[in-house]
Amino acid sequence: MEKIKMTTPLVEMDGDEMTRILWKMIKDELLCPYIDLKTEYYDLGLEHRNETDDQVTIESAEATKKYGVAVKCATITPNAARMTEYNLKEMWKSPNGTIRAALDGTVFRAPIVVKGIEPCVRNWEKPITLARHAYGDVYKNTEIKVPGAGKAELVFTAEDGTTIRETIHEFKGSGILQGIHNTDESITSFAKACFNYALDTKQDLWFATKDTISKKYDHNFKDIFQEIYDAEYKEQFEKAGIEYFYTLIDDAVARVMKAKGGFIWACKNYDGDVMSDMVSSAFGSLAMMTSVLVSPSGVYEYEAAHGTVQRHYYKHLKGEETSTNSVATIFAWTGALRKRGELDHNQELMTFADRLEQATIRTIESGKMTKDLALITSMQNVTVLNSEDFIKAVRETLDRI
Ligand code: NAP
Ligand code: MG
């Protein structure tokens, strides 16, 4: 069989620990035998980030802007323990943070739905994709622990010196204060990324805030979304047969629990932080969750939502067998390959991505899976495979379908 040709390279960001091991297995078994794989390779493994003073991360983000599509392996975000473990020059920042800042992107997280791994919420038949606005609000706050009685004010001083002043509270005793902000620019980027991704995946978009209580702050989010929708997206949404829908956050939460799924739920920063953990754990497993960073200009970076699975890696280093789930990493690749195919009008590449996803799902549905899934499946008599044998089983399915 002739290998599928690619015209434009994908940006490939290699990573750390167990996921780095899976990365190579996936390429060797599931990609390179079928595709004449063209990638621009960036080694984001912690050692190489340290050697390059983290320049490699910045370069990989620049390459992503240039080519439009990237696939990323999970990477270590250094902490004190990693400083000694890797003898680091500096506590390098999270690569995901650096890449997200460079692309001004929004992260969309979606579960991979498989028969036999049922969501806790019975009526969720299709995935719910969560989009979290990853800038500002309580994550960039300023706080004061108020020592005693006094007046708290909110003051804005314009460049020309004029001020806007509001009383927050007249304290009679001690208490607490918090100042938060967001920018129209960031909210606009978030809104555009959400509308683009909804069109791209042909799913309805829900957005919710607490604008009835927060009449200026949250209302501003609602207004920006609505203005952009009306001006730039309404027609395209109607043509695609999808809907944009705004509601209050508490109403959204209630509706999500009753819904069938199959939509994108856009959340402000804090709501997204909280709700993405709820949605992903209710869908079953972090190892079955994909993540894609979408920039407002339509640049895409695909990855698994989980980390480098450190505990499994140490077992692997000791020569012990591991049963690490590679599904989300496989889907990061298929997402990127499909998008590459779409942009390059490469139908073969898109079809291959679909087939590889089908093969992965069917392998699990036939009862062959890694240990993490075996522990939560409703299927009887499953076969638990190790990391490598699961990937080989997917290959067998791929060759059959
Ligand atoms: P983790 O890698 O997500 O793993 C936490 C635990 O979840 C594992 O020990 C394992 O449980 C289970 N798990 C996660 N993915 C799995 C998979 N594919 N197959 C089977 N089980 C899986 O999180 P962590 O151990 O807290 O973090 C390790 C490193 O990853 C850290 O250095 C962190 O900075 C980094 N990280 C990177 C990203 C990213 O690049 N996007 C995201 C998160 C964390 P059991 O041990 O019980 O089997
Ligand atoms: Mg969280």
Side-chain angles (χ1 to χ4, degrees):
M1 201 189 71
E2 216 182 306
K3 287 191 194 182
I4 299 166
K5 294 265 178 307
M6 289 175 67
T7 44
T8 320
L10 268 181
V11 176
E12 175 184 353
M13 304 169 177
D14 207 344
D16 288 299
E17 302 194 310
M18 201 57 211
T19 41
R20 189 180 178 100
I21 308 286
L22 298 178
W23 195 259
K24 183 167 185 316
M25 289 181 191
I26 292 168
K27 283 178 69 181
D28 289 348
E29 287 290 331
L30 302 176
L31 303 174
C32 292
Y34 306 92
I35 307 170
D36 210 353
L37 199 63
K38 241 190 189 180
T39 72
E40 197 163 294
Y41 179 86
Y42 291 87
D43 184 0
L44 265 55
L46 186 50
E47 260 171 59
H48 193 237
R49 272 184 277 150
N50 191 52
E51 278 163 22
T52 62
D53 294 338
D54 209 24
Q55 277 308 305
V56 64
T57 308
I58 294 160
E59 283 164 17
S60 73
E62 289 307 316
T64 305
K65 282 190 205 162
K66 176 172 164 198
Y67 292 112
V69 189
V71 57
K72 181 181 168 292
C73 179
T75 46
I76 293 169
T77 299
N79 56 15
R82 301 296 197 171
M83 292 291 291
T84 24
E85 185 184 356
Y86 285 84
N87 194 15
L88 300 180
K89 298 184 218 166
E90 245 182 71
M91 202 183 284
W92 307 112
K93 282 192 211 147
S94 144
N96 289 54
T98 304
I99 296 165
R100 195 166 61 212
L103 302 183
D104 184 22
T106 299
V107 174
F108 296 83
R109 264 186 164 198
I112 299 153
V113 176
V114 187
K115 281 197 211 81
I117 316 288
E118 265 77 38
C120 304
V121 181
R122 254 181 295 134
N123 42 281
W124 289 356
E125 291 166 13
K126 292 182 186 167
I128 294 170
T129 302
L130 212 124
R132 171 182 172 189
H133 182 213
Y135 177 81
D137 301 354
V138 74
Y139 300 85
K140 277 237 188 285
N141 65 3
T142 308
E143 300 186 316
I144 296 174
K145 207 162 157 31
V146 176
K151 182 176 173 183
E153 291 178 294
L154 196 58
V155 183
F156 170 75
T157 311
E159 274 177 343
D160 68 5
T162 53
T163 56
I164 307 173
R165 189 178 292 269
E166 295 282 345
T167 301
I168 299 170
H169 190 66
E170 306 259 7
F171 283 90
K172 303 274 183 295
S174 57
I176 40 179
L177 264 173
Q178 169 169 254
I180 59 169
H181 81 280
N182 224 300
T183 68
D184 287 356
E185 190 187 4
S186 174
I187 301 167
T188 301
S189 290
F190 175 51
K192 288 189 177 175
C194 290
F195 290 129
N196 285 338
Y197 196 65
L199 281 171
D200 208 45
T201 57
K202 298 228 168 6
Q203 298 185 87
D204 288 346
L205 175 67
W206 299 18
F207 180 47
T209 73
K210 194 69 185 173
D211 68 288
T212 46
I213 299 297
S214 173
K215 289 187 167 59
K216 291 201 175 104
Y217 197 102
D218 278 18
H219 213 285
N220 189 55
F221 279 81
K222 177 184 175 179
D223 287 345
I224 288 178
F225 265 71
Q226 196 63 48
E227 281 159 23
I228 293 173
Y229 177 70
D230 290 340
E232 295 175 39
Y233 292 94
K234 194 166 190 281
E235 258 174 55
Q236 297 181 69
F237 267 54
E238 282 166 5
K239 222 186 261 167
I242 57 173
E243 196 186 2
Y244 167 60
F245 157 73
Y246 176 86
T247 187
L248 280 173
I249 185 68
D250 36 350
D251 180 50
V253 169
R255 283 174 189 248
V256 162
M257 298 311 282
K258 298 280 182 196
K260 284 198 164 66
F263 55 88
I264 299 160
W265 184 11
C267 287
K268 284 179 61 200
N269 209 349
Y270 175 81
D271 297 337
D273 184 357
V274 176
M275 291 306 161
S276 68
D277 283 355
M278 186 193 74
V279 170
S280 62
S281 70
F283 266 106
S285 163
L286 203 56
M288 297 292 280
M289 187 69 59
T290 60
S291 177
V292 52
L293 178 72
V294 182
S295 85
S297 60
V299 164
Y300 291 73
E301 183 245 314
Y302 294 84
E303 67 172 324
H306 60 77
T308 59
V309 212
Q310 182 181 17
R311 207 180 61 83
H312 295 210
Y313 180 59
Y314 289 147
K315 277 179 72 181
H316 171 83
L317 286 182
K318 278 193 259 167
E320 290 171 33
E321 188 171 86
T322 60
S323 181
T324 314
N325 190 334
S326 48
V327 173
T329 307
I330 295 173
F331 273 64
W333 273 100
T334 53
L337 290 169
R338 187 186 297 103
K339 178 50 77 181
R340 188 71 273 162
E342 231 176 84
L343 296 176
D344 296 349
H345 306 286
N346 186 340
Q347 187 58 49
E348 260 193 305
L349 199 57
M350 291 162 75
T351 308
F352 177 78
D354 291 343
R355 266 184 61 219
L356 180 50
E357 287 184 0
Q358 275 311 309
T360 309
I361 290 171
R362 283 195 206 176
T363 303
I364 299 169
E365 289 179 348
S366 76
K368 293 177 187 162
M369 60 192 76
T370 45
K371 191 174 155 198
D372 57 310
L373 296 185
L375 290 171
I376 59 170
T377 183
S378 56
M379 273 185 261
Q380 307 282 315
N381 307 319
V382 299
T383 311
V384 179
L385 298 176
N386 66 34
S387 308
E388 190 166 12
D389 286 347
F390 175 74
I391 290 172
K392 288 194 166 140
V394 173
R395 182 166 180 182
E396 275 170 32
T397 316
L398 183 63
D399 287 336
R400 256 189 297 115
I401 62 172

